[in-house]
Amino acid sequence: MLFVLPALAAPAGARIPNAVSAHQARGCPNANRPATRSTIPAMRAAVVCLINEERAAHGLPGLRADDRLNNSAQSWSNKMVATHSFTHGTNFAARISAAGFKWSSAGENIATGFMTPRQVVNGWMASTGHCENILSPTYRDVGTGVNRHAVGGYATGPATWTQDFALPMGRSAPSRSVGPMDRCPY
């Protein structure tokens, strides 16, 4: 099962607030730190923390960060910036497989022009398809990539983000609760 979504770009010149939604707790280190002033591991950890807070607020188990998915997502964020191409490409799932992750279900979120982890997660949660990936009961693992630059021609502010979601082959979905996903966006 594959989910391909439209890309999410911050509107040019838009001021994107770091507002905390009613569903987001405030306990994620670096959630409001600009990607331009932090390390990639710190940005990854903040994004995963924020999406796991969203999942917990909706009664879903958290996702585990996976290095193979991190590598897939990071490579894609870097490629989009380098090629000025804001797209999922022809087959994002093949990238996940090429990173060594054997999956039975996969999804991907991309965004550009969001400076902080909180901004990008808020943007994804406000978009139906992106929110559905975050709140899917199917996935167990997630990888996050961040490039400090926007994709040229699509956004004026930093940064570019990719999240790859997957369920390992032979594993069952950690939840059957589709209710939160069905009520997206939040």
Side-chain angles (χ1 to χ4, degrees), residues 4 15 23 25 42 50 114 117 128 137 152-153 162 171 176 180 183 185:
V4 177
R15 176 158 163 28
H23 300 291
L50 289 166
F114 295 89
T128 301
T162 302
R171 300 293 304 267
R176 292 190 178 144
R183 289 189 289 275

Side-chain angles (χ1 to χ4, degrees), residues 20-25 50 53-58 125 186:
V20 179
S21 76
H23 300 291
Q24 289 176 317
L50 289 166
E53 284 186 349
E54 288 287 353
R55 290 176 65 85
H58 293 91
M125 289 302 293
Y186 287 91

Side-chain angles (χ1 to χ4, degrees), residues 9-186:
R15 176 158 163 28
I16 302 163
N18 273 323
V20 179
S21 76
H23 300 291
Q24 289 176 317
R26 293 164 180 83
C28 295
N30 300 304
N32 297 317
R33 188 169 179 86
T36 54
R37 295 188 202 148
S38 192
T39 66
I40 290 170
M43 294 292 93
R44 282 182 180 150
V47 169
V48 172
C49 178
L50 289 166
I51 66 166
N52 279 338
E53 284 186 349
E54 288 287 353
R55 290 176 65 85
H58 293 91
L60 295 167
L63 301 177
R64 300 176 305 191
D66 182 274
D67 286 340
R68 297 164 296 180
L69 294 175
N70 281 341
N71 290 337
S72 172
Q74 187 63 50
S75 294
W76 192 246
S77 289
N78 292 344
K79 183 170 184 169
M80 286 191 294
V81 170
T83 62
H84 304 284
S85 178
F86 190 48
T87 176
H88 291 280
T90 57
N91 189 348
F92 78 89
R95 287 189 271 108
I96 293 171
S97 296
F101 196 101
K102 293 181 189 259
W103 55 271
S104 60
S105 183
E108 181 172 83
N109 286 349
I110 61 174
T112 193
F114 295 89
M115 187 179 297
T116 69
R118 188 168 314 276
Q119 287 175 350
V120 75
V121 171
N122 283 347
W124 282 331
M125 289 302 293
S127 166
T128 301
H130 298 93
C131 173
E132 288 171 348
N133 269 346
I134 291 170
L135 297 181
S136 172
T138 302
Y139 303 128
R140 287 183 175 271
D141 299 294
V142 65
T144 307
V146 59
N147 185 298
R148 292 176 180 95
H149 304 283
V151 176
Y154 292 90
T156 57
T160 298
W161 309 80
T162 302
Q163 273 204 302
D164 287 335
F165 301 88
L167 175 67
M169 186 69 71
R171 300 293 304 267
S172 60
S175 175
R176 292 190 178 144
S177 178
V178 296
M181 181 179 86
D182 288 346
R183 289 189 289 275
C184 284
Y186 287 91

